[in-house]
Amino acid sequence: MSRKKIIAGNWKMNTTVEEAAALAKDVAAVVGSVSDVDVAVCPPYVNLMAVAEAIKGSNVKLGAQDVHWEAKGAFTGKVSCAMLKSIGVTYVIIGHSEQRQYFGETNETVNKKTKAALAASLLPIVCVGETLDERNGGKMDAVIDAQVRGGFEGISAADAAKCVVAYEPVWAIGTGVTATSAQANEAHIFIRKILTELFGKETADTIRIQYGGSMKPDNAKELLSMSDVDGGLIGGAALKASDFAGIVQPK
Ligand code: 13P
């Protein structure tokens, strides 16, 4: 089964509008004509429009870092799917571990957001992953199982096929400690097994599973060579166009 790789930069809470536009221009210059890998950048909300402009005419797609599930109304601070759609957003990261850790994201809210995004024709990047304590305590499989089943509850196979899953072990995010390629692949195979139970093999085989957590130009090639690692969700290394390019096209 060959799945087109997808590399997305999660800029997190970094970049002013000038910095975002400049970085996006640089990204478009170095990887904007790549067509054998899907490439996306996910700047902070306030920089989405400037980045949309900067990547116009390139193959780089725009992603957001979160979304609210309600369509509109009294939800101070929140942004809807229709708002994202109206400015050219393609992907939306949902359930990032930082959202789960610091902002009360649960499997249930991940599910609501995923359904809302799909209904609005946004492509969800659904994040899952265990903490170090969970891994060391032998709870890794149960945690990931609950995150995948909870996140995808009530979603059809046809809709699931539009989603990307990002496996981001919390202990590898921003720490410089990467999961080994074997650890990553093992987790991805486990996630695909759950997706197979939920949606059948044909659909599960088409869903791309990204790895995220200290992915860099010098470890990208090995990680991306694994059977079930279908791309990367990149934090720190996405903030420098040359590093990001070195992951999109690793040497
Ligand atoms: P780092 O690449 O900085 O470890 O971040 C990974 C991540 O959280 C991407 O969403």
Side-chain angles (χ1 to χ4, degrees), residues 10 12 96 98 168 172-175 212-215 233-237:
N10 174 9
K12 306 191 180 182
H96 192 278
E98 287 145 19
E168 299 205 313
I173 295 176
T175 57
S214 299
M215 199 158 169
L233 187 55
I234 319 303

PDB file of all heavy atoms in Angstrom, residues 10 12 96 98 168 172-175 212-215 233-237, ligand 1:
ATOM      1  N   ASN A  10       3.755  22.675  12.261  1.00  0.00           N
ATOM      2  CA  ASN A  10       2.917  23.267  13.308  1.00  0.00           C
ATOM      3  C   ASN A  10       3.743  24.359  13.974  1.00  0.00           C
ATOM      4  O   ASN A  10       4.650  24.068  14.744  1.00  0.00           O
ATOM      5  CB  ASN A  10       2.521  22.182  14.320  1.00  0.00           C
ATOM      6  CG  ASN A  10       1.767  22.758  15.511  1.00  0.00           C
ATOM      7  OD1 ASN A  10       1.399  23.933  15.510  1.00  0.00           O
ATOM      8  ND2 ASN A  10       1.547  21.933  16.522  1.00  0.00           N
ATOM      9  N   LYS A  12       2.898  26.443  16.126  1.00  0.00           N
ATOM     10  CA  LYS A  12       2.500  26.689  17.523  1.00  0.00           C
ATOM     11  C   LYS A  12       2.349  28.200  17.762  1.00  0.00           C
ATOM     12  O   LYS A  12       1.951  28.911  16.861  1.00  0.00           O
ATOM     13  CB  LYS A  12       3.484  26.007  18.475  1.00  0.00           C
ATOM     14  CG  LYS A  12       3.624  24.509  18.151  1.00  0.00           C
ATOM     15  CD  LYS A  12       4.366  23.720  19.195  1.00  0.00           C
ATOM     16  CE  LYS A  12       4.445  22.250  18.760  1.00  0.00           C
ATOM     17  NZ  LYS A  12       5.113  21.404  19.757  1.00  0.00           N
ATOM     18  N   HIS A  96      -4.195  18.330  19.639  1.00  0.00           N
ATOM     19  CA  HIS A  96      -2.757  18.343  19.930  1.00  0.00           C
ATOM     20  C   HIS A  96      -2.526  18.135  21.428  1.00  0.00           C
ATOM     21  O   HIS A  96      -3.318  18.601  22.252  1.00  0.00           O
ATOM     22  CB  HIS A  96      -2.138  19.667  19.469  1.00  0.00           C
ATOM     23  CG  HIS A  96      -0.639  19.621  19.474  1.00  0.00           C
ATOM     24  ND1 HIS A  96       0.093  19.825  20.614  1.00  0.00           N
ATOM     25  CD2 HIS A  96       0.248  19.333  18.485  1.00  0.00           C
ATOM     26  CE1 HIS A  96       1.392  19.688  20.322  1.00  0.00           C
ATOM     27  NE2 HIS A  96       1.501  19.394  19.035  1.00  0.00           N
ATOM     28  N   GLU A  98      -0.681  19.549  23.451  1.00  0.00           N
ATOM     29  CA  GLU A  98      -0.627  20.791  24.241  1.00  0.00           C
ATOM     30  C   GLU A  98      -2.040  21.286  24.550  1.00  0.00           C
ATOM     31  O   GLU A  98      -2.295  21.843  25.623  1.00  0.00           O
ATOM     32  CB  GLU A  98       0.220  21.834  23.499  1.00  0.00           C
ATOM     33  CG  GLU A  98       1.700  21.466  23.564  1.00  0.00           C
ATOM     34  CD  GLU A  98       2.533  21.814  22.336  1.00  0.00           C
ATOM     35  OE1 GLU A  98       2.105  22.654  21.532  1.00  0.00           O
ATOM     36  OE2 GLU A  98       3.619  21.218  22.190  1.00  0.00           O
ATOM     37  N   GLU A 168       1.966  11.561  18.183  1.00  0.00           N
ATOM     38  CA  GLU A 168       2.965  12.419  18.811  1.00  0.00           C
ATOM     39  C   GLU A 168       3.152  11.995  20.263  1.00  0.00           C
ATOM     40  O   GLU A 168       2.381  12.402  21.137  1.00  0.00           O
ATOM     41  CB  GLU A 168       2.511  13.881  18.762  1.00  0.00           C
ATOM     42  CG  GLU A 168       2.329  14.421  17.363  1.00  0.00           C
ATOM     43  CD  GLU A 168       2.478  15.933  17.321  1.00  0.00           C
ATOM     44  OE1 GLU A 168       1.889  16.638  18.163  1.00  0.00           O
ATOM     45  OE2 GLU A 168       3.212  16.404  16.450  1.00  0.00           O
ATOM     46  N   ALA A 172       8.363  13.135  23.440  1.00  0.00           N
ATOM     47  CA  ALA A 172       9.283  13.438  22.334  1.00  0.00           C
ATOM     48  C   ALA A 172       9.068  14.839  21.779  1.00  0.00           C
ATOM     49  O   ALA A 172       9.806  15.286  20.910  1.00  0.00           O
ATOM     50  CB  ALA A 172       9.110  12.409  21.225  1.00  0.00           C
ATOM     51  N   ILE A 173       8.046  15.538  22.290  1.00  0.00           N
ATOM     52  CA  ILE A 173       7.710  16.842  21.725  1.00  0.00           C
ATOM     53  C   ILE A 173       8.568  17.936  22.341  1.00  0.00           C
ATOM     54  O   ILE A 173       8.529  18.151  23.555  1.00  0.00           O
ATOM     55  CB  ILE A 173       6.214  17.162  21.925  1.00  0.00           C
ATOM     56  CG1 ILE A 173       5.362  16.165  21.138  1.00  0.00           C
ATOM     57  CG2 ILE A 173       5.902  18.591  21.502  1.00  0.00           C
ATOM     58  CD1 ILE A 173       3.862  16.324  21.348  1.00  0.00           C
ATOM     59  N   GLY A 174       9.343  18.578  21.495  1.00  0.00           N
ATOM     60  CA  GLY A 174      10.151  19.714  21.930  1.00  0.00           C
ATOM     61  C   GLY A 174      11.266  19.349  22.899  1.00  0.00           C
ATOM     62  O   GLY A 174      11.867  20.214  23.524  1.00  0.00           O
ATOM     63  N   THR A 175      11.541  18.061  23.039  1.00  0.00           N
ATOM     64  CA  THR A 175      12.532  17.625  24.027  1.00  0.00           C
ATOM     65  C   THR A 175      13.864  17.271  23.377  1.00  0.00           C
ATOM     66  O   THR A 175      14.862  17.118  24.078  1.00  0.00           O
ATOM     67  CB  THR A 175      12.031  16.347  24.744  1.00  0.00           C
ATOM     68  OG1 THR A 175      11.764  15.340  23.747  1.00  0.00           O
ATOM     69  CG2 THR A 175      10.774  16.618  25.529  1.00  0.00           C
ATOM     70  N   GLY A 212       5.135  12.794  14.990  1.00  0.00           N
ATOM     71  CA  GLY A 212       5.565  14.113  15.449  1.00  0.00           C
ATOM     72  C   GLY A 212       6.302  14.013  16.771  1.00  0.00           C
ATOM     73  O   GLY A 212       5.877  13.270  17.670  1.00  0.00           O
ATOM     74  N   GLY A 213       7.369  14.768  16.901  1.00  0.00           N
ATOM     75  CA  GLY A 213       8.158  14.781  18.141  1.00  0.00           C
ATOM     76  C   GLY A 213       9.629  14.811  17.809  1.00  0.00           C
ATOM     77  O   GLY A 213      10.222  13.778  17.507  1.00  0.00           O
ATOM     78  N   SER A 214      10.187  16.041  17.825  1.00  0.00           N
ATOM     79  CA  SER A 214      11.613  16.240  17.556  1.00  0.00           C
ATOM     80  C   SER A 214      12.067  15.634  16.220  1.00  0.00           C
ATOM     81  O   SER A 214      13.164  15.106  16.106  1.00  0.00           O
ATOM     82  CB  SER A 214      12.462  15.694  18.712  1.00  0.00           C
ATOM     83  OG  SER A 214      12.148  16.373  19.920  1.00  0.00           O
ATOM     84  N   MET A 215      11.189  15.721  15.231  1.00  0.00           N
ATOM     85  CA  MET A 215      11.594  15.284  13.889  1.00  0.00           C
ATOM     86  C   MET A 215      12.435  16.395  13.261  1.00  0.00           C
ATOM     87  O   MET A 215      12.062  17.569  13.321  1.00  0.00           O
ATOM     88  CB  MET A 215      10.365  15.005  13.028  1.00  0.00           C
ATOM     89  CG  MET A 215      10.639  14.145  11.819  1.00  0.00           C
ATOM     90  SD  MET A 215       9.070  13.398  11.319  1.00  0.00           S
ATOM     91  CE  MET A 215       9.495  12.716   9.765  1.00  0.00           C
ATOM     92  N   LEU A 233       4.551  15.649  11.556  1.00  0.00           N
ATOM     93  CA  LEU A 233       3.994  16.904  12.060  1.00  0.00           C
ATOM     94  C   LEU A 233       5.138  17.556  12.823  1.00  0.00           C
ATOM     95  O   LEU A 233       5.593  17.039  13.845  1.00  0.00           O
ATOM     96  CB  LEU A 233       2.772  16.628  12.957  1.00  0.00           C
ATOM     97  CG  LEU A 233       1.977  17.849  13.434  1.00  0.00           C
ATOM     98  CD1 LEU A 233       1.529  18.719  12.269  1.00  0.00           C
ATOM     99  CD2 LEU A 233       0.750  17.408  14.236  1.00  0.00           C
ATOM    100  N   ILE A 234       5.591  18.674  12.285  1.00  0.00           N
ATOM    101  CA  ILE A 234       6.877  19.228  12.695  1.00  0.00           C
ATOM    102  C   ILE A 234       6.690  20.493  13.511  1.00  0.00           C
ATOM    103  O   ILE A 234       6.027  21.431  13.043  1.00  0.00           O
ATOM    104  CB  ILE A 234       7.730  19.581  11.438  1.00  0.00           C
ATOM    105  CG1 ILE A 234       7.623  18.506  10.336  1.00  0.00           C
ATOM    106  CG2 ILE A 234       9.173  19.852  11.828  1.00  0.00           C
ATOM    107  CD1 ILE A 234       8.010  17.120  10.748  1.00  0.00           C
ATOM    108  N   GLY A 235       7.295  20.554  14.688  1.00  0.00           N
ATOM    109  CA  GLY A 235       7.219  21.754  15.507  1.00  0.00           C
ATOM    110  C   GLY A 235       8.434  22.637  15.271  1.00  0.00           C
ATOM    111  O   GLY A 235       8.518  23.372  14.286  1.00  0.00           O
ATOM    112  N   GLY A 236       9.402  22.544  16.164  1.00  0.00           N
ATOM    113  CA  GLY A 236      10.574  23.420  16.129  1.00  0.00           C
ATOM    114  C   GLY A 236      11.236  23.540  14.764  1.00  0.00           C
ATOM    115  O   GLY A 236      11.547  24.651  14.306  1.00  0.00           O
ATOM    116  N   ALA A 237      11.432  22.411  14.108  1.00  0.00           N
ATOM    117  CA  ALA A 237      12.155  22.427  12.829  1.00  0.00           C
ATOM    118  C   ALA A 237      11.335  23.036  11.691  1.00  0.00           C
ATOM    119  O   ALA A 237      11.861  23.240  10.597  1.00  0.00           O
ATOM    120  CB  ALA A 237      12.607  21.014  12.462  1.00  0.00           C
TER     121      ALA A 237
HETATM  122  P1  13P B   1       8.669  19.367  17.952  1.00  0.00           P
HETATM  123  O1  13P B   1       8.953  18.998  16.513  1.00  0.00           O
HETATM  124  O2  13P B   1       9.127  20.728  18.318  1.00  0.00           O
HETATM  125  O3  13P B   1       9.107  18.294  18.892  1.00  0.00           O
HETATM  126  O4  13P B   1       7.053  19.429  18.049  1.00  0.00           O
HETATM  127  C1  13P B   1       6.293  18.397  17.573  1.00  0.00           C
HETATM  128  C2  13P B   1       4.870  18.803  17.612  1.00  0.00           C
HETATM  129  O5  13P B   1       4.280  18.945  18.668  1.00  0.00           O
HETATM  130  C3  13P B   1       4.212  19.077  16.323  1.00  0.00           C
HETATM  131  O6  13P B   1       2.833  19.218  16.488  1.00  0.00           O
END
